[in-house]
Amino acid sequence: MGPNGAGKTTLLKLIGALLLPSEGDIFVGGVNTVSHGLEARKSVGFVLNEERSFFWRLTAIQNLEFFGALDNLWGADLDDRIHELIGLVGLGDVADRPVSGFSSGMKQRLALARGLIAEPDILILDEPTRALDPIAAEELTELILDRIHQDSRKTLLIATHRPEEAVRLCNKVLVIDNGRLKGFDRIAELSEKGMSLLEYYRERLQADTE
């Protein structure tokens, strides 16, 4: 969590080896993202909140076929994986429709499928509900919680401005501002202290300004 421009997206892209650090090292699953970026990237899936993430004239299935091929998936294995993911994210009824006609919520569901296609150990979600109305945001949160997070050994890294979303989906919170770490704690421990996540967030942002 952090204000706009705090560096949340940059941090996530550094962890996923989409960007290289100007100094220091980042290890993902024991792999150095600087010296072995391609290997590190194989264990990470991305769900980025960007309208241009898909080819709008292609269907949902065709988009997943393209991105699956980029992850070296093909043939029956890719077809089976796409069928599984389309069902997982609840897009079976629109799988053969062009993405140009999708709502924001449907695009985010497809983005989840894309992020999961290579079965990554780490799933990065950059403000996954930012462009969604309250009902669509709730449905996506439930999807992540019930179908992806439960009974899964995946690590989820989520950037969000919504404290209630963080409380439901996460067990730890990291607060950054101006590229600096301001706080890192377990959410359960904050609750034990009688502190809400919003209170903690405000306190950590004000820590160096008082």
Side-chain angles (χ1 to χ4, degrees):
M1 299 182 69
N4 289 329
K8 301 185 298 298
T9 297
T10 298
L11 176 60
L12 294 179
K13 288 183 176 180
L14 286 167
I15 293 172
L18 295 182
L19 295 175
L20 294 178
S22 55
E23 60 180 286
D25 293 291
I26 298 174
F27 291 85
V28 177
V31 179
N32 190 313
T33 65
V34 177
S35 58
H36 297 84
L38 289 177
E39 183 180 352
R41 203 176 303 160
K42 290 178 181 179
S43 65
V44 180
F46 289 90
V47 181
L48 302 178
N49 199 325
E50 298 175 354
E51 284 293 315
R52 298 180 181 178
S53 296
F54 297 103
F55 296 99
W56 284 24
R57 294 183 180 180
L58 301 183
T59 67
I61 288 178
Q62 289 170 335
N63 268 282
L64 293 179
E65 287 174 343
F66 173 80
F67 291 112
L70 293 182
D71 284 316
N72 296 314
L73 301 173
W74 60 83
D77 289 341
L78 177 57
D79 291 341
D80 291 344
R81 183 62 176 156
I82 290 174
H83 180 76
E84 175 187 356
L85 290 172
I86 287 291
L88 177 71
V89 301
L91 291 177
D93 293 339
V94 296
D96 292 314
R97 296 182 188 176
V99 173
S100 58
F102 280 21
S103 67
S104 294
M106 292 160 66
K107 290 174 186 173
Q108 280 301 92
R109 287 172 178 266
L110 186 58
L112 274 177
R114 174 185 170 181
L116 291 166
I117 198 163
E119 301 190 72
D121 296 323
I122 300 169
L123 184 64
I124 291 178
L125 302 102
D126 188 11
E127 297 186 44
T129 62
R130 180 181 62 187
L132 305 183
D133 65 75
I135 293 177
E138 173 66 16
E139 289 176 348
L140 188 70
T141 300
E142 289 289 343
L143 170 62
I144 295 170
L145 187 63
D146 294 339
R147 299 191 184 182
I148 297 173
H149 196 26
Q150 294 287 2
D151 301 320
S152 172
R153 298 183 64 86
K154 296 185 189 305
T155 297
L156 271 62
L157 298 177
I158 305 172
T160 181
H161 285 297
R162 304 188 184 198
E164 67 279 7
E165 186 174 279
V167 169
R168 291 186 66 188
L169 295 176
C170 305
N171 55 24
K172 298 177 184 177
V173 59
L174 183 148
V175 179
I176 61 174
D177 190 20
N178 292 320
R180 298 178 56 205
L181 174 66
K182 303 299 291 283
F184 183 48
D185 283 280
R186 291 184 177 276
I187 294 177
E189 293 179 359
L190 303 181
S191 299
E192 291 172 0
K193 297 176 182 178
M195 177 181 288
S196 71
L197 183 55
L198 181 57
E199 290 171 334
Y200 173 80
Y201 176 71
R202 286 175 172 167
E203 177 187 273
R204 298 320 306 157
L205 290 182
Q206 297 171 357
D208 295 338
T209 61
E210 297 177 346

